[in-house]
Amino acid sequence: MSHLTDLPVWAAILVCGLTLLGAAITLIGSVGLLRFTSFYERLHAPTLATSGGVILICAASIICFAVLQSRWVFHEILIIVFVLVTTPVTLMLLGQAALYRDRVKEKRGVPLKQRPPREEPTE
Amino acid sequence: MMELSIIWSILIAQIMLGLAMAFAFFRMVRGPRAQDRILGLDTLYINAMLMLLTFGIRTANTLYFESALIVALIGFVSSIAFGKFLMRGEIIE
């Protein structure tokens, strides 16, 4: 642990707090994934991990290695951007697939497909 | 002193992330329907990526960050592929 001893106190406190907070938020998101009852509620829970957890833990890593100046902090920024861009795409596709499957099975409580407004004859 | 506190907080964070991974894995194994399993797998990928980041902070090894990036990328691609398969599979039925 040679590189952590060189860290000043304020940076160490920030790294500790951000890491713990990010892990706690991720844990809360996973507990939500475990406990919610329907799929459409469960779809919301992991976004806590993908936004809050990723940003906070990457921020801790950025602070740690930017203060130490031991390496170039490019990976974390890339990870943040990539995860934040791709998560909504995944979850929207999953929600769409689930809605499609529920409509095929005609489950109750699923919103029906909107029909396009019928064009009324003008004359 | 501060070094020790960082090591302990990273250890606690890793325990929390391990619990989160266990919950996601449980949802993946148990999930009542296919979309629940895919959601569990996606969460498992994200949690594993965060675990790799905490290992990277602790050891200051660049390899961990690169592998975290690759895990995020592969998780995204696999989730998209599974979601597409769900929609196509139902059409064939």
Side-chain angles (χ1 to χ4, degrees):
Chain A
M1 287 303 120
S2 58
H3 73 285
L4 289 180
T5 45
D6 302 333
L7 217 60
V9 176
W10 60 272
I13 291 172
L14 266 181
V15 168
C16 284
L18 287 177
T19 313
L20 281 179
L21 202 62
I25 285 178
T26 310
L27 184 60
I28 291 169
S30 289
V31 168
L33 179 71
L34 190 69
R35 294 282 313 253
F36 278 150
T37 49
S38 80
F39 174 75
Y40 299 103
E41 288 172 358
R42 257 175 242 143
L43 200 57
H44 295 279
T47 55
L48 214 59
T50 54
S51 58
V54 169
I55 289 178
L56 287 178
I57 292 183
C58 283
S61 171
I62 286 174
I63 288 172
C64 181
F65 294 107
V67 169
L68 288 179
Q69 292 182 343
S70 65
R71 77 184 172 78
W72 199 33
V73 244
F74 187 62
H75 289 94
E76 286 93 340
I77 297 169
L78 214 60
I79 288 173
I80 288 178
V81 169
F82 185 76
V83 169
L84 284 190
V85 166
T86 57
T87 305
V89 178
T90 312
L91 294 187
M92 271 166 64
L93 195 71
L94 263 184
Q96 219 174 358
L99 195 61
Y100 180 76
R101 285 170 66 112
D102 281 348
R103 274 177 189 154
V104 167
K105 284 178 82 177
E106 291 181 352
K107 256 179 116 176
R108 201 177 287 171
V110 173
L112 292 176
K113 195 170 190 175
Q114 272 187 352
R115 295 201 176 142
R118 196 171 292 162
E119 288 182 14
E120 297 190 359
T122 49
E123 284 175 282
Chain B
M1 185 58 205
M2 289 319 285
E3 173 205 0
L4 211 66
S5 71
I6 289 184
I7 290 174
W8 272 101
S9 68
I10 285 179
L11 185 68
I12 294 170
Q14 281 171 352
I15 291 172
M16 283 189 206
L17 289 175
L19 264 180
M21 281 174 76
F23 291 159
F25 184 75
F26 183 77
R27 179 53 75 193
M28 190 182 80
V29 171
R30 179 76 185 284
R33 301 185 67 199
Q35 52 262 37
D36 293 302
R37 295 175 202 270
I38 297 171
L39 191 62
L41 183 69
D42 194 52
T43 314
L44 191 62
Y45 268 115
I46 295 288
N47 290 347
M49 195 202 73
L50 290 178
M51 187 78 116
L52 283 177
L53 281 182
T54 55
F55 274 113
I57 295 175
R58 180 164 170 170
T59 58
N61 197 345
T62 320
L63 208 63
Y64 282 113
F65 294 94
E66 280 159 10
S67 59
L69 197 57
I70 290 173
V71 164
L73 215 141
I74 289 177
F76 167 65
V77 172
S78 76
S79 297
I80 286 289
F82 278 131
K84 278 284 178 197
F85 174 73
L86 272 191
M87 298 187 77
R88 296 263 174 87
E90 283 289 334
I91 289 172
I92 291 172
E93 280 181 17

